[in-house]
Amino acid sequence: MRHTPAVLLCTAGLIGAALPAGPGGAPEVPTSPAPTSAAAAPRPCVTSRTPTSGDGRQVLAVAERAKREFGLNSVVLKVSSRGREVLTTALGESMTGVPAQPSMHFRTGSVGIVYMGTILLQLVQEGKASLDDPVSRWLPDAPHGSEITLRMLGASTSGLHDYVTDPKFLAEYEAAPFRAWTPEQVVGMAAARPLLYEPGTNWSYSHANFLLLGAALEKISGTRLDRLIAQRISAPLGLTQTSNQYTPQIPPPVLHSFTSERGTYEESTFWNPSWTTAPGAVLVQDICDLERSARAVGTGELLSPKYFRTQLDPGTVGLGKATPSCPASVCLANTQARHFGLGVIVVNGWILTNPSFSGYAAVQAYLPARQLSIAVSVTQGPKSPEGNSAQVIAGRIAAALAPGHPLRVP
């Protein structure tokens, strides 16, 4: 169920002033989703010609074998090398009798976190904020706002508890997966618990970081978060099939998801993702946008070289150690080879994120050394194993096409 970026190496409410706000500073409640795609006509995202040899054939063989092995309903992927398509394909079904297609939309949760990290660095680059601003400068009533900085939110070193692991949240979510959650409710659960450590001194993933970061970005820019993503990410990259949704809606065509996490195999396509990240960054995409996103993020296309280096290591390398208040399964070691950046994960030279949400799992990954990009999305069958199978498939593709650069995120 966890809608996390695999939490790297293993894996009291928020006051109104910290709510998503319009340019005037008052909370803004959208009545409908704002447009979040470029104005240009969408390009088709279609299956490429079936390869009979070469890299494309290897990728297809990996996908076909994994679909059988893991009992997946669908495997949708796009792989490019040096900007040229290796393979775009969709295997299996969206629903019974409905073939999966590359053009189908699916949830890509933590990709929104990558985009928020990028936008934060853009705003810092423009002199509109500092990474070391205390959160209280922008959100006066945020929990521990005078102790936690914008850098700590983006790098996940704030020490805030992760409400997604809270037994109360888990019980309520699993009892009512269509429920709409507010930022006050979920961040309030994090704020009600003591900090895991002094901010900036350790590393632990918390969804609360990114709800707060999204609200701060709105305050800094005076622009609603969905519009920030549209203007600063989707439009310049031509992500015409990327959109935020303020409801459980997914624009058609839809890749449907199913899960057994509540004990019965059931459809989960329209379970409410409102708790997963900041309002305005609850994204859906197609596989072509996900692959384009992997290339853009992995090359630092939207940042200066200085701030791209900061995105890859905002000070996290060397952090992460177990303490009496933070077990090793939560406070994870960040090494040069494997660490969390500012919204991204860095593993053996790969720059990636790997969202999962109730039957959906995906990964976008880019290897600068080979200019290789991999985007995979999968949906579960009745007997599929737990965990992110898209990540496993991406790792096998990496082993085939870039054997000296393993892509493994435990």
Side-chain angles (χ1 to χ4, degrees):
M1 174 186 122
R2 310 296 182 268
H3 186 275
T4 70
V7 191
L8 185 56
L9 310 182
C10 61
T11 149
L14 181 60
I15 306 300
L19 284 170
E28 180 175 353
V29 180
T31 56
S32 61
T36 59
S37 61
R43 80 285 176 271
C45 186
V46 297
T47 300
S48 50
R49 182 177 300 176
T50 302
T52 57
S53 61
D55 289 350
R57 183 61 225 171
Q58 289 189 75
V59 172
L60 182 59
V62 166
E64 291 173 334
R65 184 166 57 251
K67 182 182 178 299
R68 293 191 301 269
E69 179 183 343
F70 302 136
L72 299 168
N73 277 356
S74 69
V75 177
V76 185
L77 63 81
K78 181 170 183 177
V79 176
S80 294
S81 177
R82 303 188 184 279
R84 300 185 64 180
E85 179 185 55
V86 173
L87 181 69
T88 304
T89 195
L91 309 176
E93 296 183 319
S94 169
M95 298 185 294
T96 302
V98 179
Q101 300 290 342
S103 60
M104 288 178 168
H105 299 110
F106 48 89
R107 301 200 188 281
T108 56
S110 61
V111 175
I113 290 170
V114 178
Y115 294 170
M116 283 191 280
T118 301
I119 291 168
L120 172 60
L121 290 167
Q122 289 175 340
L123 293 171
V124 170
Q125 188 173 291
E126 295 162 12
K128 296 177 181 176
S130 166
L131 282 177
D132 298 315
D133 281 346
V135 175
S136 57
R137 176 181 175 188
W138 304 104
L139 306 173
D141 297 299
H144 305 282
S146 63
E147 305 165 70
I148 295 169
T149 65
L150 296 176
R151 183 193 302 268
M152 294 172 193
L153 291 181
S156 226
T157 61
S158 69
L160 287 168
H161 176 72
D162 189 5
Y163 59 83
V164 170
T165 65
D166 189 294
K168 180 177 184 293
F169 171 80
L170 290 172
E172 292 185 18
Y173 175 73
E174 292 181 0
F178 295 100
R179 171 182 172 178
W181 293 82
T182 67
E184 298 99 321
Q185 290 169 331
V186 289
V187 176
M189 290 185 182
R193 302 279 292 273
L195 289 174
L196 294 174
Y197 45 82
E198 179 184 346
T201 64
N202 211 333
W203 188 94
S204 59
Y205 190 85
S206 173
H207 288 70
N209 290 326
F210 301 103
L211 275 93
L212 290 168
L213 180 58
L217 293 175
E218 293 188 323
K219 288 288 188 177
I220 294 165
S221 65
T223 302
R224 210 170 71 192
L225 184 57
D226 63 329
R227 293 172 180 161
L228 272 179
I229 291 173
Q231 295 163 5
R232 289 177 172 267
I233 307 292
S234 297
L237 299 182
L239 303 182
T240 62
Q241 300 303 307
T242 296
S243 64
N244 163 73
Q245 301 299 317
Y246 286 105
T247 72
Q249 172 189 4
I250 299 177
V254 178
L255 183 66
H256 286 249
S257 67
F258 301 80
T259 183
S260 301
E261 67 187 45
R262 298 201 306 165
T264 301
Y265 187 65
E266 58 188 329
E267 181 166 7
S268 52
T269 309
F270 300 108
W271 286 8
N272 199 313
S274 54
W275 55 271
T276 57
T277 194
V282 182
L283 300 183
V284 297
Q285 298 179 291
D286 71 5
I287 200 67
C288 291
D289 273 14
L290 192 63
E291 186 274 334
R292 175 70 180 100
S293 173
R295 281 187 284 131
V297 171
T299 58
E301 184 173 336
L302 298 176
L303 295 170
S304 71
K306 172 185 175 181
Y307 284 100
F308 181 46
R309 289 192 295 270
T310 299
Q311 185 170 41
L312 299 187
D313 179 14
T316 49
V317 172
L319 294 180
K321 60 182 181 298
T323 70
S325 61
C326 192
S329 60
V330 176
C331 282
L332 305 172
N334 282 247
T335 67
Q336 188 65 48
R338 298 184 179 188
H339 62 272
F340 197 87
L342 212 152
V344 299
I345 304 170
V346 180
V347 178
N348 297 326
W350 290 90
I351 301 163
L352 67 131
T353 192
N354 49 358
S356 60
F357 174 83
S358 298
Y360 286 112
V363 65
Q364 68 167 46
Y366 185 79
L367 180 64
R370 296 288 185 88
Q371 298 178 41
L372 177 64
S373 55
I374 300 173
V376 183
S377 176
V378 305
T379 55
Q380 295 178 348
K383 297 182 180 179
S384 295
E386 294 184 2
N388 189 325
S389 298
Q391 181 177 284
V392 177
I393 294 170
R396 292 178 179 181
I397 294 170
L401 303 188
H405 302 270
L407 174 54
R408 291 192 292 267
V409 184

